[in-house]
Amino acid sequence: MKKILSVLLALGLACSLAACAGGASSSEAVSEETASTETASSEATEETVPAEQDAPQLDAVASGEVMNYDQYMAADLDTEVTIQAYVQAKQSWWEDKATVYLQDQDGGYFAYDMACSEEDYEKLTEGTCIRVTGFKSEWCGEVEIVDGTFEFVEDAEPFVSMPLDVTELLGTDELIYAQNQRVAFKGLTVAPSTVEGSDEEYAFLYNWDGSGEEGDDLYFNVSYNDEVYTFTVESYLCDSTTDVYAAVKNLQVGQTIDAEGFLYWYEGVNPHITSVTVTG
């Protein structure tokens, strides 16, 4: 009887040990399989995530290299810039220096006192492509290129900009982004101008304070959405023989007008107007 019990106990112990051995082997296999899967997943993830790419630096342009408009605007003041654009209007020439409005398909530029012979100034016709190198500067809010030199871009197709309607941008921060471009304003009302020390109202003034005379700049006020803005006929750009000069002299307070010009800046928006049409 004891032998039978001993045999039975021995068999039970053997089965128990076998079961324990089998359980340990299964657990290790699962652990190894999990580790292998995690390693493969990690390697796959590393391969599919792209390497971080540097954002383009708009102002990292070598000296003398032509900038696009965004690069020009991103450049620091008082640094050398080179742009390629098209003449839209000539403002003045004096002592071998020219001041011109330029524009490309992306934005406008104002080149002030650019080195230029009188002979070359005559060649700067509307639409002519030139490459200008100078220094980016700012004067009373007007961003311009000063101390510049230029060269003609041979065989370039002419480009003449169409006026950009910025009427709805009047009074907004976004208006300045159209600085120096050819722009249009629609449905403005001629507002009165006054001279200090007088209550008399005028539709325009010779010079900003009324101190000028025939041939000087014309200043006139317009209102839109209950705000008043000062526009200018710059006599160097449009002298007293031009249609716009005569049109502004004939304005009356309260008239409705459309106007075109270049979006100059002087301590705020101060467009240089080249065309005025009375609409009401």
Side-chain angles (χ1 to χ4, degrees), residues 20-184:
C20 288
S25 177
S26 175
S27 175
E28 289 174 2
V30 171
S31 177
E32 290 177 1
E33 182 180 352
T34 301
S36 176
T37 302
E38 290 178 350
T39 300
S41 176
S42 175
E43 291 176 352
T45 301
E46 290 177 358
E47 290 177 359
T48 55
V49 174
E52 183 177 352
Q53 298 183 16
D54 293 331
Q57 300 297 313
L58 293 179
D59 55 348
V61 179
S63 178
E65 182 178 338
V66 175
M67 297 174 165
N68 61 36
Y69 184 72
D70 287 339
Q71 290 169 329
Y72 167 76
M73 292 305 295
D76 292 333
L77 293 175
D78 302 319
T79 59
E80 186 178 85
V81 294
T82 298
I83 60 100
Q84 185 167 301
Y86 302 81
V87 177
Q88 302 302 303
K90 298 188 293 186
Q91 180 163 301
S92 64
W93 179 88
W94 181 254
E95 296 182 345
D96 287 337
K97 293 181 180 179
T99 297
V100 299
Y101 277 102
L102 302 164
Q103 195 165 332
D104 59 24
Q105 288 81 357
D106 297 315
Y109 311 85
F110 187 64
Y112 180 78
D113 274 0
M114 176 178 66
C116 179
S117 67
E118 188 172 12
E119 180 181 1
D120 281 344
Y121 186 71
E122 295 302 318
K123 298 176 184 177
L124 292 176
T125 55
E126 186 180 45
T128 300
C129 185
I130 62 174
R131 186 175 297 121
V132 180
T133 297
F135 291 87
K136 182 180 175 182
S137 183
E138 181 180 343
W139 184 70
C140 295
E142 169 66 21
V143 177
E144 56 194 14
I145 300 173
V146 300
D147 299 329
T149 59
F150 81 96
E151 58 183 311
F152 293 98
V153 178
E154 301 296 337
D155 301 323
E157 290 293 325
F159 168 73
V160 177
S161 60
M162 296 295 293
L164 175 67
D165 189 342
V166 295
T167 310
E168 295 304 322
L169 296 181
L170 282 168
T172 71
D173 294 337
E174 287 74 25
L175 182 60
I176 197 169
Y177 296 113
Q179 188 178 105
N180 296 324
Q181 291 190 47
R182 191 194 303 267
V183 295

Side-chain angles (χ1 to χ4, degrees), residues 210-230:
S211 63
E213 58 185 9
E214 178 73 10
D216 289 333
D217 298 344
L218 302 181
Y219 283 74
F220 63 104
N221 290 334
V222 297
S223 64
Y224 188 77
N225 286 342
D226 299 322
E227 295 291 336
V228 175
Y229 306 92
T230 300

